[in-house]
Amino acid sequence: SYLFANCPSLIGIDFTNFDTSNTTNMSKMFVGLGFLEKLVIDKFCTSKVKNMSFMFSNCCSLKSIDVSSFDTSNVTDMSYMFACCKCLTSLLLNNFNTKNVINMNYMFLGDEFLQQIIIDDDIFEYNNDKTIFENTDNLKGDYGSENKLTIILKEKTINKDFFHDAI
């Protein structure tokens, strides 16, 4: 945790050959790297990670984050994971297994330009957390309106109001 806390002016990091196979805590790993524009983490081994809270929080210059290879089956905390990533417009989380996650509070807090999150509803669960999408007013799906929160679940779109009524 806090791996790059003292490097706030970093603009790019390439972790192609970085071994994370024994890592259990990635909390706050990139927190506050406001100038970070490029992050290559597609080879991260995350199978033992339990804590990803605040992992990318306040990485305001990142326009994309490739977490498609992340194994999140052992993660219990994803709170604030993508909070205040103000340049993100979409996230591909279709491999995120959140069945063991206990805390997803404010996972996408303040991601004001985030328009789409793609997930697999067989493995992505929310644990009744209504704060997960706090201040993400532009989040929408293929059929969503400009100001409606929708999530792509496989091939169907679910509206925020429907989803919150269901939990």
Side-chain angles (χ1 to χ4, degrees), residues 33-94:
L33 297 181
F35 295 106
L36 190 65
E37 295 175 1
K38 183 174 178 155
L39 183 60
V40 180
I41 54 173
D42 58 320
K43 303 280 192 245
F44 264 22
C45 176
T46 59
S47 61
K48 294 182 181 178
V49 176
K50 293 182 187 243
N51 190 344
M52 290 185 171
S53 65
F54 294 89
M55 188 172 179
F56 304 103
S57 183
N58 290 307
C59 287
C60 343
S61 298
L62 274 179
K63 293 180 179 160
S64 66
I65 302 171
D66 184 359
V67 291
S68 60
S69 65
F70 276 26
D71 176 352
T72 59
S73 58
N74 288 311
V75 177
T76 59
D77 192 345
M78 288 185 175
S79 60
Y80 296 90
M81 185 174 180
F82 300 101
C84 299
C85 291
K86 297 184 182 286
C87 287
L88 283 181
T89 57
S90 67
L91 277 170
L92 178 60
L93 305 181
N94 61 322

Side-chain angles (χ1 to χ4, degrees), residues 2-160:
Y2 288 106
L3 185 60
F4 296 99
N6 293 319
C7 306
S9 58
L10 279 175
I11 57 170
I13 310 171
D14 184 344
F15 287 102
T16 303
N17 297 311
F18 200 74
D19 182 6
T20 59
S21 59
N22 290 313
T23 304
T24 59
N25 187 352
M26 290 187 171
S27 171
K28 301 175 183 97
M29 189 172 192
F30 305 105
V31 69
L33 297 181
F35 295 106
L36 190 65
E37 295 175 1
K38 183 174 178 155
L39 183 60
V40 180
I41 54 173
D42 58 320
K43 303 280 192 245
F44 264 22
C45 176
T46 59
S47 61
K48 294 182 181 178
V49 176
K50 293 182 187 243
N51 190 344
M52 290 185 171
S53 65
F54 294 89
M55 188 172 179
F56 304 103
S57 183
N58 290 307
C59 287
C60 343
S61 298
L62 274 179
K63 293 180 179 160
S64 66
I65 302 171
D66 184 359
V67 291
S68 60
S69 65
F70 276 26
D71 176 352
T72 59
S73 58
N74 288 311
V75 177
T76 59
D77 192 345
M78 288 185 175
S79 60
Y80 296 90
M81 185 174 180
F82 300 101
C84 299
C85 291
K86 297 184 182 286
C87 287
L88 283 181
T89 57
S90 67
L91 277 170
L92 178 60
L93 305 181
N94 61 322
N95 289 324
F96 265 43
N97 180 337
T98 63
K99 293 185 184 220
N100 288 318
V101 177
I102 297 165
N103 188 355
M104 293 176 101
N105 291 337
Y106 303 104
M107 188 171 173
F108 304 102
L109 173 71
D111 293 344
E112 53 198 52
F113 293 106
L114 188 61
Q115 296 177 19
Q116 187 178 67
I117 300 172
I118 299 174
I119 63 175
D120 180 339
D121 61 337
D122 290 331
I123 60 174
F124 192 96
E125 296 178 0
Y126 279 56
N127 308 354
N128 294 323
D129 187 348
K130 296 180 182 178
T131 67
I132 189 172
F133 298 109
E134 193 77 24
N135 295 329
T136 54
D137 296 337
N138 289 314
L139 194 58
K140 61 186 180 205
D142 289 339
Y143 306 104
S145 65
E146 287 292 320
N147 297 311
K148 289 283 187 176
L149 168 63
T150 54
I151 304 163
I152 306 291
L153 299 173
K154 285 189 175 174
E155 294 181 10
K156 59 187 174 188
T157 302
I158 294 184
N159 182 283
K160 168 186 176 183

